[in-house]
Amino acid sequence: MDSDEEDYVFFGTPIEREEEITSRKKKSVAEASGNLRSLVPWKQEVRDEEGRRRFHGAFTGGYSAGYYNTVGSKEGWAPQSFTSSRKSRAEVKQQSIFNFLDDDERTEMEGRSLGTSLQFDTFGFTAAEIARKQAEKEQQQRPSAIPGPVPDEIVLPATESIGVKLLLKMGWRHGHSIRDSSVNSQYDARREARKAFLAFSSDDTKAEFAGAEPGKSELENIMEQPANNDAQSSQSTPVYVLNPKQDLHGLGYDPFKHAPEFREKKRSRTSGNRELGSRKAFSIKDNLFTSKSGKVAPGFGIGALEELDDEDEDVYASGFEFEDTYVQEIEEPLRLSMDSKEKLPLRLSIDSKQKLGGKEQGVLPGFKVVSNSEYHLERFDPPVIPKDFVPYHKFPGPLEIDNKRADPPPPEVPPPEDNNLRVLIEGVATLVARCGKLFEDLSREKNQSNPLFCFLTGGDGHEYYTRKLWEERQKHNDHTKQQLDGKSSPSVQKMTAESRGKILGEKPLERSAKDLSSSVASTDVHLQFNLSDTFTNPASFSELLEIAKPFKDDLVKQERFERFLKEKYQGGLRSTDAGGASNMSEAARARERLDFEAAAESIEKAKQGKQSQLSVQQFIEMSATGGLHFTPGGLEPAKVVQDEDLTVKKVYPKREEFQWRPSPILCKRFDLIDPYMGKPPPAPRMRSKMDSLIFTSDFVKATNVEETVTANREPLSVSQSNALGTSIEVADKEIEVTVEVENVERPVDLYKAIFSDDSDDEIEESSLNQVDDPQKKIEAANTTLNRLIAGDFLESLGKELGLEVPPDPPYSTNKAMAPAPQNDTFDANTGDVNILPVEVKPSSMLNAISGTSTSQWVAHSKAYHQQAAQEGRLQEDELIHGNPPRSGSKIVETGFSGNKFGEVKLVKLIQEDRKAKTSSSRHQNQSSGSSSDDERSRKRARQHRHRSSNSDSDSSTDHRDRYHSRSRGKKKRSSREKSSSSRKHSKHRKHRTRDSPSRSSRHGTEKERAEAKREKQK
Amino acid sequence: MSVADLPSKEANVLKGHEGAVLAARFNGDGNYCLSCGKDRTIRLWNPHRGIHIKTYKSHGREVRDVHVTPDNSKLCSCGGDRQVFYWDVSTGRVIRKFRGHDSEVNAVKFNEYASVVVSAGYDRSLRAWDCRSHSTEPIQIIDTFSDSVMSVCLTKTEIIAGSVDGTVRTFDIRIGREISDNLGQPVNCVSMSNDGNCILASCLDSTLRLLDRSAGEVLQEYKGHTCKSYKMDCCLTNTDAHVTGGSEDGFIFFWDLVDASVVSSFRAHASVVTSVSYHPKDNCMITASVDGTIRVWKT
């Protein structure tokens, strides 16, 4: 079709669907004529003159690219209309080029605008961008007293520029002066750094300026000048972040005005629950602020924004200088100490260096941090192990834990002075301990450049970190071990007195565990327990055993019981002896254990009550009478039976209460108020598939319409009658399949979808049935074919569902065949269109298939006759009495079922004696068969359904009925009478079709079931 | 009421059923009785005069239970054809057939207003059918039973049913609760005491059990008869002084309600006594049997 197809090599001839081409052409024509205008937009397709759709390429939307193959937006190219922003200023939209671009165009645009990736972000523009976005995001998340977006100028990138990075790599740290032996190189470095900082923003320079100012004031201080300058420049690194007003103090009120050190404390406390990493980044900056405000605060009544903004400092510039110099004096010694510290880089925390004036955190101004803190973790030395100690351990836990534990602990290290760092280290250590080494590696990789995490790579605080990590691992292991222990609690106390004695080199007792087994040797046991008392504390066991002989009659069991007691109260080697009763099943063992448990409990209770013997006796009795259910199963079967008897008596009658929801209509009919009135209806009952396979579905019930003589009834809903019609139709195809399929509650639409065409045809036919045109016949043949296919389909469906489907295509052709002999009589009746609207159709179908099916029909009718004879007994009754509800359809259906279930039926019930009668009556009917049609029509007019016709005409009328109902499903009947009569038929028929096969089988099973029940009860 | 007042003399024998009679019931005022049987017919009798009044034929299989409205205008019946028939008494025509039970229907009852028919089926369900509307779908399906439901009783507010799963379940429509009393034995028949406080349940272990409805306790057990495999009725006398029931050997038993002693027992039928029904006011009782007869007993 398309030109690009020529590029490919094709094997075989492509199947060109004719209708596709034609429809396409049609469509294009229709479109050309503007017919498609009426279609909904998403159904409209843009096509070229030849009716081909536009294809945008497989990866750009295919056929459905754009907005229904158009511009890309519903508005198309229409420009936005002007909207006054006077009233709604906030909502005014800024129009940009992007508003008028397609998605792909936009992506193209974005692709064109170059940006530096973070990796090569020399001047930090990208970082600045990211930081701004980040700040905005945070701004939205954080509560802030001042609403509105953050001004761009305030937010500054948090990443260092390449220069800083380089400096860092060279060993420079924040807050340090870039110092070298040669002044020139130092200046160069400084210039570099400045350049880098200049790149940030104009604000940066300002800040730098502000920072440089005090440096100028210090120019008098000759000795410190260059270094100080450098320090200032680096200190002025504008890594400020807005500090939102989160407290409830008045604007400008600073609770820490005179005690800035508390601010730090508070901040660290509040930020403690925040995420670790982000908190770190903040805390650095916070420190910066604190130190500044510490300087500024004493001089002025400062606003809250003071510490946040450099501009404020400019406002009070003169004061600031004064302050600065003032502070400078104080900090002189500190700076010196800081310098000295630089010589021990490992000891220095990063944060402390970043602070202006080298103020240590948590240290009051004017105080100095001690170089070695006196704070130590209090640890106790492990107990001294005797030299001749032979390690003999069995660990229940997995081995790898032990391996880890076996690592020699790293030396204890005092935590770094910086609180933040300590917290960080500890946190990372905990995480690493929990998540494994992988986490450490990862974070190391990630934070390679971050000076905060240099403890990972061996920088500051590494030793502390290793120590901490070890501790955490220890803790973690302990924890897991505990868990393990909890799981294998019985195996924890593996060390018995004997083994312990062995280990300690004591002389083992001659009689050990075995003594327990003999019930006589209680004194020995006593001895042993006296010994074991020294180790464990078996509070009550020794006393217990004296009185505890609940299983005297069974020595083996008693032995087991004692062992159990021993385990219970003392703990001991259990697994070895647990198999003592290896011949017992697992269940028996469990039961016995329960038994023992109960016994032990009762013994204990008895002891408490000081009436030992009695209550043990009681217990035994109790267990005997079944008050307890822990009776030994295999040993005393007779007793158990007795127990069951007794328990039955005790248990029954058992009363239970459930929620039950009566339907509202039931309540109404009982003249009661619905207890669930106003409450939402219960969820639809879950029906298992099995359930619905066994029992007929609700759907079937829904279509069960009773047959009565009264004419006044509500018309069925169309859908229901549709279901009726279609299902009946299907029933004609294959009764078995129908039953199954409907039971699975296939939606009616499926059938509609399958059969809608031919029922449509029928409507046509029914309207045109007087006219005998050959085209209709062809169509009818087509529909029959369709049905056959549908039958196959249903059969396969049944197979898919795992149900037995009798292959029955001949039957369906039979059905088409069935009306054949009757056609003539119908022709006689054609005047009555109302009654016989569709009878032409069967005949046409017959024409289509007659060649193949006659022989089958003969074969089938044999079985059918045979069954009809049985069924005739019912007819006989109807003939006698006034209102026989039987229809001929029943005969047909039971005839069908008789093929399979005839034998079952034959055996059933009382019908043997009726057979003779029925056959005679049948003959009678047959003789009157030809005249039955007139009679029938007359009767139908009276809405009575007397079916006294013979078998052939019955089946045919049955067919007619079917078509009646089916066509009725499609179109509204004008005549009430008619609808009721046809409904009656269809109903009837339907019921039969469904019932007859399953019922006979059910009867068989029911009988058996009843028999079995009876047997059981005897 | 003394033992002498118990109906023990055969007043009439109602013959007409071919084959076993499965149920015999007095109507509301006790002037008529209905019977149904394996011959697929329902018969209306005047038991006091021994007259067969009418036969209702439409069932396709045996009729297992029949009930008549208090105003004697309608019948409902059920049986092996899995349908519940709703009859007009006078015309003898079926007004409606309620289909929906998946197997045989064991018992059927009208409610007080004759607006609802409740049927108990072998398909382990109770179904309530609306007689007022033209809908033939059940207005309620109760399928909490785990075995065939054998018998059903209705009060003004409750549906009580006994099942082979050993439970007597009371469905209280007023409060929306289901109370299940598990007796441990298949329940054949449930019948209410006239004061409505007790349920008499016939179990297949040849025991009648009297249940206190409020507490669910077994008040008394009545033994002596044989009831192992047939659906057999039991009932209390009109004064609630005695309990009566048939036996599989054709005997009828009377027990004292309180001390459960067999007060009287006599051979009433040649075969299994399938149904007993006590007159609502008089000392009169009808029994039906597999032998095809219905007997009327008076003092």
Side-chain angles (χ1 to χ4, degrees):
Chain A
M1 286 195 285
D2 287 334
S3 59
D4 58 338
E5 269 189 20
E6 289 164 11
D7 299 332
Y8 300 102
V9 180
F10 289 101
F11 289 102
T13 47
I15 297 171
E16 196 107 298
R17 297 193 66 181
E18 275 184 306
E19 69 230 48
E20 201 176 271
I21 296 166
T22 52
S23 74
R24 207 178 63 198
K25 266 183 189 159
K26 245 189 242 168
K27 260 188 192 166
S28 73
V29 169
E31 200 181 10
S33 61
N35 273 356
L36 278 178
R37 287 276 164 238
S38 55
L39 268 179
V40 270
W42 58 86
K43 280 190 179 166
Q44 293 177 8
E45 284 167 348
V46 178
R47 294 169 186 281
D48 58 11
E49 309 78 45
E50 284 167 18
R52 289 183 300 222
R53 301 179 66 181
R54 196 191 296 163
F55 189 74
H56 287 262
F59 295 103
T60 51
Y63 281 118
S64 53
Y67 189 81
Y68 311 128
N69 228 339
T70 56
V71 179
S73 74
K74 199 175 181 180
E75 294 83 18
W77 293 104
Q80 276 189 335
S81 58
F82 171 76
T83 47
S84 170
S85 62
R86 223 185 62 173
K87 279 175 186 169
S88 52
R89 278 178 199 284
E91 287 166 27
V92 69
K93 268 186 200 167
Q94 207 77 22
Q95 277 198 19
S96 75
I97 181 79
F98 289 103
N99 291 0
F100 300 98
L101 290 180
D102 266 350
D103 278 337
D104 43 354
E105 280 172 322
R106 210 172 296 157
T107 52
E108 264 176 47
M109 285 280 286
E110 271 164 27
R112 215 169 285 151
S113 66
L114 285 174
T116 325
S117 74
L118 261 184
Q119 203 178 345
F120 303 105
D121 188 19
T122 315
F123 299 109
F125 289 129
T126 317
E129 190 71 24
I130 288 167
R132 192 179 301 122
K133 276 178 190 163
Q134 179 70 22
E136 263 162 30
K137 214 188 285 171
E138 273 171 25
Q139 164 73 21
Q140 277 163 4
Q141 285 164 359
R142 259 183 325 200
S144 172
I146 303 160
V150 192
D152 282 356
E153 299 80 37
I154 297 172
V155 182
L156 293 168
T159 332
E160 295 97 340
S161 65
I162 190 71
V164 179
K165 277 181 195 165
L166 282 171
L167 279 173
L168 280 169
K169 289 240 155 135
M170 287 159 65
W172 174 83
R173 295 278 180 271
H174 279 284
H176 281 238
S177 58
I178 301 166
R179 194 189 267 234
D180 213 335
S181 53
S182 88
V183 180
N184 279 346
S185 64
Q186 179 197 321
Y187 273 134
D188 284 345
R190 196 177 68 194
R191 204 168 296 130
E192 279 295 309
R194 279 209 174 164
K195 240 187 231 165
F197 292 138
L198 273 172
F200 283 147
S201 67
S202 59
D203 202 43
D204 275 39
T205 55
K206 226 185 225 171
E208 196 186 324
F209 234 71
E213 259 182 318
K216 267 178 219 156
S217 72
E218 276 179 326
L219 275 175
E220 294 96 40
N221 200 339
I222 309 145
M223 191 191 99
E224 287 278 326
Q225 193 252 335
N228 198 16
N229 221 356
D230 269 328
Q232 289 297 337
S233 69
S234 64
Q235 278 148 18
S236 67
T237 305
V239 272
Y240 307 141
V241 159
L242 254 196
N243 208 15
K245 179 168 166 48
Q246 281 172 306
D247 51 9
L248 298 173
H249 305 303
L251 200 68
Y253 173 71
D254 186 8
F256 309 108
K257 196 161 132 194
H258 297 296
E261 52 276 7
F262 291 114
R263 181 199 313 279
E264 200 50 48
K265 287 252 158 92
K266 173 153 197 234
R267 197 160 289 156
S268 67
R269 208 186 311 138
T270 50
S271 59
N273 27 359
R274 271 197 228 151
E275 202 206 335
L276 207 76
S278 67
R279 198 191 70 85
K280 275 295 130 189
F282 280 116
S283 66
I284 298 167
K285 293 141 203 169
D286 289 348
N287 290 343
L288 261 173
F289 295 138
T290 6
S291 56
K292 252 182 203 160
S293 77
K295 271 190 275 174
V296 177
F300 304 92
I302 316 148
L305 289 172
E306 161 91 17
E307 50 185 31
L308 309 181
D309 229 330
D310 282 5
E311 270 129 349
D312 285 334
E313 288 173 17
D314 281 347
V315 173
Y316 305 109
S318 59
F320 181 80
E321 273 174 50
F322 166 72
E323 286 298 319
D324 199 30
T325 47
Y326 166 68
V327 172
Q328 214 67 41
E329 283 175 351
I330 299 170
E331 282 178 358
E332 214 63 46
L334 265 185
R335 194 154 289 173
L336 283 172
S337 78
M338 192 183 89
D339 289 347
S340 70
K341 267 182 209 162
E342 272 170 56
K343 273 134 202 164
L344 316 160
L346 276 183
R347 302 291 312 191
L348 273 177
S349 68
I350 302 146
D351 265 19
S352 65
K353 285 172 214 156
Q354 266 199 324
K355 265 179 239 162
L356 195 135
K359 225 193 232 176
E360 298 283 78
Q361 191 196 15
V363 179
L364 293 173
F367 284 87
K368 185 188 157 191
V369 179
V370 201
S371 55
N372 52 344
S373 86
E374 290 184 5
Y375 173 72
H376 282 282
L377 269 178
E378 209 173 342
R379 295 189 191 286
F380 299 99
D381 290 328
V384 183
I385 301 163
K387 274 174 189 167
D388 55 347
F389 173 72
V390 184
Y392 177 71
H393 289 298
K394 268 190 188 171
F395 294 106
L399 277 172
E400 82 245 332
I401 293 170
D402 296 343
N403 290 345
K404 271 183 190 167
R405 209 182 294 164
D407 288 339
E412 275 176 71
V413 180
E417 290 78 1
D418 184 16
N419 235 346
N420 288 328
L421 186 66
R422 209 192 68 221
V423 171
L424 178 64
I425 287 174
E426 278 170 14
V428 170
T430 318
L431 271 175
V432 168
R434 203 174 299 152
C435 307
K437 191 101 170 71
L438 194 69
F439 180 80
E440 194 188 352
D441 294 340
L442 259 177
S443 52
R444 187 181 300 148
E445 220 168 281
K446 245 196 276 175
N447 301 300
Q448 239 164 5
S449 59
N450 196 338
L452 265 181
F453 285 88
C454 66
F455 63 86
L456 284 173
T457 47
D460 288 356
H462 181 70
E463 279 163 326
Y464 181 68
Y465 166 73
T466 46
R467 172 72 197 178
K468 213 65 204 154
L469 183 61
W470 182 78
E471 273 172 27
E472 285 298 331
R473 272 197 184 137
Q474 205 81 340
K475 246 191 257 170
H476 191 65
N477 286 349
D478 281 350
H479 189 63
T480 49
K481 198 191 147 212
Q482 267 175 13
Q483 280 180 336
L484 278 167
D485 286 354
K487 267 180 225 158
S488 57
S489 55
S491 61
V492 172
Q493 300 176 305
K494 268 191 177 164
M495 190 172 277
T496 59
E498 289 93 338
S499 56
R500 202 178 282 114
K502 247 179 237 165
I503 291 164
L504 294 176
E506 285 176 3
K507 188 189 162 195
L509 291 167
E510 281 184 7
R511 289 162 169 251
S512 56
K514 270 181 193 170
D515 292 336
L516 282 174
S517 56
S518 72
S519 54
V520 201
S522 56
T523 50
D524 291 296
V525 172
H526 245 293
L527 273 177
Q528 196 205 336
F529 290 140
N530 287 341
L531 179 72
S532 67
D533 269 358
T534 56
F535 300 102
T536 63
N537 196 10
S540 55
F541 179 51
S542 49
E543 296 157 47
L544 268 182
L545 203 71
E546 287 179 330
I547 53 167
K549 299 273 182 288
F551 303 98
K552 270 181 214 145
D553 46 344
D554 187 353
L555 280 181
V556 188
K557 196 171 177 186
Q558 174 66 28
E559 179 188 330
R560 281 202 298 270
F561 176 60
E562 277 160 21
R563 200 179 304 136
F564 166 81
L565 275 186
K566 185 187 162 213
E567 277 163 21
K568 186 175 162 118
Y569 290 104
Q570 184 207 357
L573 288 168
R574 180 179 177 218
S575 47
T576 51
D577 283 347
S582 55
N583 53 343
M584 287 168 81
S585 72
E586 204 57 45
R589 204 173 296 152
R591 196 162 43 218
E592 197 183 68
R593 197 180 154 76
L594 280 174
D595 213 338
F596 287 162
E597 205 83 63
E601 210 168 297
S602 77
I603 288 163
E604 203 161 36
K605 264 184 207 152
K607 196 197 72 194
Q608 282 165 1
K610 305 285 183 207
Q611 30 171 266
S612 50
Q613 215 52 38
L614 194 68
S615 89
V616 173
Q617 216 51 43
Q618 269 174 351
F619 160 72
I620 293 161
E621 271 169 22
M622 222 163 39
S623 67
T625 51
L628 291 166
H629 292 280
F630 312 123
T631 45
L635 296 171
E636 302 150 304
K639 241 186 196 173
V640 170
V641 172
Q642 194 196 343
D643 290 351
E644 268 173 15
D645 261 3
L646 286 164
T647 48
V648 161
K649 231 188 183 150
K650 270 206 159 179
V651 166
Y652 295 120
K654 199 162 52 187
R655 173 161 275 205
E656 287 169 291
E657 269 199 68
F658 309 100
Q659 192 97 340
W660 173 68
R661 184 167 186 153
S663 69
I665 182 98
L666 187 74
C667 301
K668 195 178 159 195
R669 293 280 177 259
F670 271 79
D671 206 10
L672 297 168
I673 297 162
D674 187 359
Y676 290 85
M677 196 163 46
K679 287 176 192 163
R685 229 154 32 92
M686 290 300 291
R687 271 193 108 128
S688 70
K689 200 174 180 185
M690 209 49 216
D691 209 22
S692 53
L693 282 175
I694 291 170
F695 298 111
T696 49
S697 63
D698 289 338
F699 161 61
V700 173
K701 276 174 239 144
T703 51
N704 277 343
V705 187
E706 62 153 339
E707 176 181 17
T708 62
V709 286
T710 51
N712 55 338
R713 70 176 94 206
E714 293 156 12
L716 287 173
S717 69
V718 178
S719 70
Q720 207 173 350
S721 51
N722 272 351
L724 216 72
T726 48
S727 59
I728 284 162
E729 204 169 69
V730 176
D732 283 342
K733 295 284 167 292
E734 294 197 5
I735 291 167
E736 276 295 303
V737 174
T738 315
V739 170
E740 286 147 11
V741 168
E742 281 180 3
N743 283 350
V744 194
E745 297 187 6
R746 290 278 150 180
V748 182
D749 299 44
L750 175 66
Y751 295 100
K752 261 188 177 169
I754 297 170
F755 300 113
S756 59
D757 54 345
D758 62 358
S759 41
D760 285 342
D761 287 345
E762 270 160 36
I763 293 170
E764 285 171 12
E765 277 183 334
S766 63
S767 60
L768 293 169
N769 62 349
Q770 299 295 5
V771 192
D772 188 49
D773 58 345
Q775 172 121 27
K776 289 291 171 209
K777 280 186 183 175
I778 294 163
E779 266 188 29
N782 273 339
T783 54
T784 325
L785 202 67
N786 279 346
R787 285 184 191 174
L788 284 174
I789 293 164
D792 283 346
F793 165 68
L794 287 172
E795 189 180 331
S796 64
L797 196 68
K799 272 174 189 159
E800 235 175 53
L801 291 168
L803 298 164
E804 196 188 288
V805 181
D808 222 359
Y811 185 71
S812 59
T813 54
N814 261 339
K815 293 310 250 177
M817 196 46 202
Q822 197 228 344
N823 204 21
D824 299 346
T825 55
F826 269 53
D827 284 344
N829 265 340
T830 43
D832 192 354
V833 190
N834 254 355
I835 299 172
L836 311 167
V838 258
E839 77 253 19
V840 174
K841 192 176 171 248
S843 73
S844 57
M845 279 159 53
L846 164 72
N847 287 343
I849 319 169
S850 58
T852 60
S853 57
T854 31
S855 59
Q856 286 159 349
W857 164 244
V858 171
H860 179 69
S861 61
K862 244 182 233 167
Y864 161 66
H865 271 282
Q866 182 192 356
Q867 184 57 30
Q870 288 172 36
E871 213 44 57
R873 62 189 168 81
L874 299 168
Q875 272 212 330
E876 173 239 11
D877 279 343
E878 290 145 19
L879 286 171
I880 294 167
H881 297 290
N883 56 339
R886 306 291 136 209
S887 68
S889 62
K890 178 179 180 171
I891 295 178
V892 175
E893 287 136 19
T894 43
F896 171 65
S897 70
N899 286 340
K900 281 159 256 160
F901 302 109
E903 280 171 15
V904 185
K905 284 214 146 191
L906 276 172
V907 204
K908 291 200 67 123
L909 288 171
I910 347 159
Q911 64 192 31
E912 286 89 358
D913 54 335
R914 309 239 156 227
K915 255 187 187 168
K917 278 189 233 167
T918 49
S919 55
S920 68
S921 72
R922 166 156 304 286
H923 282 303
Q924 188 189 346
N925 287 344
Q926 274 168 346
S927 63
S928 68
S930 56
S931 66
S932 65
D933 284 318
D934 302 340
E935 189 191 22
R936 192 188 313 117
S937 58
R938 183 167 47 83
K939 277 183 179 167
R940 197 178 287 145
R942 283 195 284 126
Q943 309 217 0
H944 282 264
R945 195 79 182 109
H946 289 260
R947 309 308 302 264
S948 53
S949 49
N950 70 15
S951 59
D952 282 358
S953 61
D954 261 349
S955 68
S956 58
T957 39
D958 161 42
H959 260 276
R960 195 191 47 220
D961 292 344
R962 192 178 82 236
Y963 294 132
H964 257 290
S965 59
R966 201 193 309 157
S967 52
R968 194 185 57 81
K970 293 288 169 257
K971 59 172 186 176
K972 289 274 184 189
R973 285 273 182 101
S974 56
S975 142
R976 176 97 181 199
E977 161 206 71
K978 200 169 180 184
S979 80
S980 72
S981 75
S982 71
R983 188 191 301 131
K984 194 199 313 175
H985 306 155
S986 57
K987 242 182 295 158
H988 205 93
R989 190 185 158 77
K990 188 168 179 54
H991 183 70
R992 291 292 154 203
T993 42
R994 210 159 284 112
D995 282 358
S996 46
S998 62
R999 179 204 287 177
S1000 40
S1001 63
R1002 171 175 286 280
H1003 265 287
T1005 53
E1006 269 171 23
K1007 284 261 156 77
E1008 284 165 18
R1009 194 172 158 199
E1011 279 300 318
K1013 216 173 271 165
R1014 227 160 270 169
E1015 288 293 321
K1016 198 178 71 189
Q1017 281 146 15
K1018 267 171 194 169
Chain B
M1 184 181 156
S2 66
V3 178
D5 294 333
L6 288 172
S8 56
K9 285 181 202 143
E10 184 181 302
N12 276 309
V13 181
L14 311 176
K15 284 183 181 166
H17 275 289
E18 300 171 36
V21 186
L22 295 176
R25 308 261 183 258
F26 273 113
N27 73 334
D29 57 7
N31 289 331
Y32 297 92
C33 77
L34 283 159
S35 66
C36 56
K38 283 220 158 164
D39 58 356
R40 316 194 297 268
T41 62
I42 299 155
R43 284 163 200 262
L44 175 65
W45 312 82
N46 185 331
H48 307 293
R49 293 162 63 194
I51 301 170
H52 173 218
I53 300 167
K54 202 170 173 66
T55 305
Y56 300 90
K57 290 186 180 177
S58 200
H59 271 285
R61 288 174 189 277
E62 82 276 7
V63 188
R64 298 197 175 179
D65 199 5
V66 65
H67 196 230
V68 65
T69 58
D71 63 354
N72 295 330
S73 64
K74 300 287 192 300
L75 291 182
C76 64
S77 64
C78 65
D81 51 5
R82 303 193 268 178
Q83 301 176 25
V84 176
F85 283 49
Y86 182 53
W87 304 79
D88 184 54
V89 170
S90 52
T91 62
R93 285 188 177 150
V94 177
I95 301 170
R96 219 157 286 162
K97 289 179 186 171
F98 300 113
R99 298 191 184 92
H101 271 291
D102 300 318
S103 57
E104 291 90 338
V105 189
N106 288 320
V108 72
K109 284 278 188 302
F110 276 113
N111 73 335
E112 192 197 8
Y113 309 107
S115 56
V116 172
V117 174
V118 178
S119 59
Y122 186 78
D123 59 354
R124 308 181 289 185
S125 72
L126 277 179
R127 276 158 209 254
W129 312 87
D130 191 359
C131 301
R132 296 248 170 101
S133 82
H134 298 289
S135 159
T136 50
E137 289 173 54
I139 55 176
Q140 177 101 45
I141 301 171
I142 302 167
D143 50 5
T144 55
F145 295 93
S146 50
D147 208 332
S148 168
V149 189
M150 295 303 286
S151 176
V152 64
C153 269
L154 298 186
T155 67
K156 281 185 182 179
T157 61
E158 289 142 317
I159 301 169
I160 302 157
S163 165
V164 179
D165 63 8
T167 59
V168 174
R169 287 171 201 254
T170 306
F171 300 91
D172 196 324
I173 301 163
R174 195 169 40 182
I175 58 170
R177 298 290 287 175
E178 172 192 346
I179 298 161
S180 161
D181 291 314
N182 195 341
L183 299 178
Q185 290 292 331
V187 176
N188 223 348
C189 169
V190 289
S191 65
M192 294 274 301
S193 67
N194 292 305
D195 64 358
N197 291 330
C198 299
I199 300 169
L200 185 67
S202 164
C203 297
L204 278 182
D205 59 345
S206 299
T207 312
L208 303 184
R209 289 184 168 87
L210 188 71
L211 293 175
D212 179 37
R213 280 188 52 203
S214 54
E217 295 161 352
V218 170
L219 298 175
Q220 197 53 268
E221 293 188 343
Y222 308 97
K223 289 181 182 173
H225 64 303
T226 326
C227 174
K228 288 185 185 299
S229 52
Y230 286 86
K231 173 175 168 18
M232 294 164 70
D233 284 351
C234 58
C235 62
L236 284 98
T237 59
N238 54 0
T239 54
D240 279 346
H242 294 93
V243 169
T244 183
S247 174
E248 282 179 15
D249 50 10
F251 274 70
I252 292 174
F253 282 77
F254 287 95
W255 292 272
D256 189 88
L257 181 91
V258 180
D259 57 13
S261 59
V262 177
V263 184
S264 163
S265 74
F266 54 89
R267 187 173 191 89
H269 287 277
S271 181
V272 181
V273 181
T274 53
S275 181
V276 291
S277 178
Y278 209 88
H279 193 279
K281 296 182 199 79
D282 302 336
N283 287 325
C284 177
M285 189 172 80
I286 51 171
T287 58
S289 167
V290 173
D291 63 9
T293 61
I294 301 149
R295 285 168 204 261
V296 186
W297 305 89
K298 292 187 175 175
T299 49

